[in-house]
Amino acid sequence: MAEKATSMPATTKPRVLLLFGGRSSEHSVSCVTAASVMKAIDRRKYDVIPVGITKAGSWTLVDSSPGDWTLTSGEHPEVAAGSSQLHLSDGEGTAEISVAKESRLMSGANGEIEDLGRVDVVFPLLHGPFGEDGTLQGMLELADLPYVGAGVAASAIGMDKHYMKVVFESAGFRVGPYAVITDKQWRRDPEAALAGTHGLELPLFVKPARAGSSMGITRVDDRDQLRTAVEAAREHDPKVVIEEGITGREIECGVLEGHGDEPPRASFPGEIAVPEGAHAFYDFEAKYVDDSAALSCPADLPEEDGEAIRRLAVAAFDAVGAEGLARVDFFYTDVGEWVINEINTMPGFTPSSMYPQMWAKTGIAYPDLIDELIELALERPLGLR
């Protein structure tokens, strides 16, 4: 049986496990986010345990200063496969983390386990399936580990653009026309599945139902392109959502959970502007690579409309039962109507991402936002709530 090596020295500071990488197509975005948080988090207040999840799903300790990870057209950072496997366990009332090392790296016996001590809170900087969709959150609940962000149900709803729309429609929000193609429908009869979109007007936006960062999204201006667009989306998710394009401005709003029984807080609304001709829509390249998109915050809106979107963003946050943080995206039509697009329960979180930028404009700087989210997670009870 494996023997435990000596534990790391005890510390009174909260120990934060930063979890990033993961198995989704947004792996590199998560790595960039983690690098930003590691640079900004207050090391005087928190001990940081950086843990990367490889694309194959292995958990491994990484350097707490990963370097200047950035996204460019030719460089997508990635968690390298490590030579150790991490384990979370219940250490008699507190969660603990340990690492089992391979024998070739050890001076001790095969299977030696090094105890890395307690974990007080997890900051899951993961985007997409197997991290943002409730799967990880369920594991952390079972391990009695506090964590930043939405719980199981809200994470699952926020990840699935189909069920997200169902919930928002039920809550009284205006949702744009859409159709859904499941994996079984497509494999059984693709033509029949495509026929279900005939009532939607062009342009159409074909999206993986459970992906983010604009991965796998295609704008369709000709129905002859539709089959190819569905196949492209299915490379990221077998379930596909087809949305009718909405004519209007794209306005976003950040939501931050309140402390105790206080209501959620909404940031100033922000508007995304993509230079005409640079991109067909606000896609992955515009978001992360060429810096062509610009954020205007507060968005140029009449005061009553600015207050309206803040109320709607908080209502959307509550409708899915979100916790911690979320970014809610709307279309503002020419006739002054708000059409909800989506909620993102773990939005992009680098200093240049829209969520932190909106909160910076509202009065909470990036390092303080990190601190606020960790404090909210430590306050929140686990289990049914």
Side-chain angles (χ1 to χ4, degrees), residues 90-325:
D90 185 351
E92 298 181 358
T94 61
E96 293 185 350
I97 187 169
S98 57
V99 55
K101 297 182 177 181
E102 289 185 358
S103 58
R104 61 186 177 84
L105 295 178
M106 299 187 316
S107 57
N110 290 351
E112 178 185 3
I113 297 176
E114 180 183 357
D115 183 3
L116 302 181
R118 77 178 195 281
V119 175
D120 295 301
V121 62
V122 176
F123 201 146
L125 298 164
L126 293 153
H127 303 296
F130 310 110
E132 192 184 347
D133 60 351
T135 51
L136 173 70
Q137 289 73 18
M139 187 202 78
L140 295 175
E141 291 280 353
L142 288 171
D144 286 330
L145 260 174
Y147 56 93
V148 170
V152 177
S155 296
I157 294 167
M159 190 79 259
D160 192 312
K161 294 177 177 64
H162 171 205
Y163 293 116
M164 179 198 307
K165 293 177 187 294
V166 172
V167 170
F168 284 146
E169 284 181 304
S170 177
F173 287 87
R174 185 184 169 195
V175 174
Y178 70 98
V180 177
I181 298 177
T182 66
D183 184 43
K184 286 186 177 180
Q185 288 172 333
W186 188 255
R187 289 188 287 112
R188 185 167 53 236
D189 191 341
E191 291 304 321
L194 291 174
T197 70
H198 287 171
L200 303 178
E201 296 183 5
L202 297 171
L204 303 176
F205 288 87
V206 181
K207 304 178 178 182
R210 295 158 293 193
S213 298
S214 298
M215 295 282 193
I217 297 179
T218 304
R219 174 181 168 134
V220 172
D221 295 292
D222 186 322
R223 291 193 181 277
D224 290 341
Q225 304 168 338
L226 191 53
R227 177 186 279 268
T228 300
V230 171
E231 292 288 7
R234 281 173 53 81
E235 292 178 8
H236 298 268
D237 188 347
K239 183 179 179 181
V240 176
V241 171
I242 299 96
E243 299 174 348
E244 185 178 294
I246 303 294
T247 301
R249 296 162 61 186
E250 294 187 43
I251 312 290
E252 304 183 347
C253 193
V255 182
L256 187 61
E257 185 179 4
H259 291 279
D261 294 329
E262 295 174 356
R265 297 157 279 175
S267 73
F268 291 142
E271 181 171 14
I272 304 300
V274 180
E276 189 173 349
H279 300 272
F281 61 96
Y282 187 38
D283 60 10
F284 182 86
E285 294 288 316
K287 285 181 178 179
Y288 300 109
V289 178
D290 63 14
D291 293 325
S292 60
L295 172 69
S296 174
C297 183
D300 184 13
L301 294 166
E303 183 177 353
E304 61 271 21
D305 288 323
E307 289 303 314
I309 186 178
R310 296 176 84 176
R311 290 194 301 271
L312 288 169
V314 168
F317 187 88
D318 286 337
V320 301
E323 296 168 292
L325 73 165

Side-chain angles (χ1 to χ4, degrees), residues 21 24-33 55 71 76-78 284:
S24 83
S25 56
E26 296 175 80
H27 180 102
S28 296
V29 177
S30 175
C31 291
V32 173
T33 297
K55 290 182 176 180
L71 282 171
H76 287 194
E78 181 178 338
F284 182 86

Side-chain angles (χ1 to χ4, degrees), residues 266-269 297 310 357-364:
S267 73
F268 291 142
C297 183
R310 296 176 84 176
Q357 281 197 70
M358 287 188 290
W359 275 111
K361 295 287 187 180
T362 309
I364 303 179

Side-chain angles (χ1 to χ4, degrees), residues 361-383:
K361 295 287 187 180
T362 309
I364 303 179
Y366 187 67
D368 297 327
L369 187 59
I370 294 170
D371 187 54
E372 182 80 354
L373 289 168
I374 293 171
E375 288 186 358
L376 286 167
L378 288 169
E379 289 176 10
R380 189 175 75 204
L382 291 166

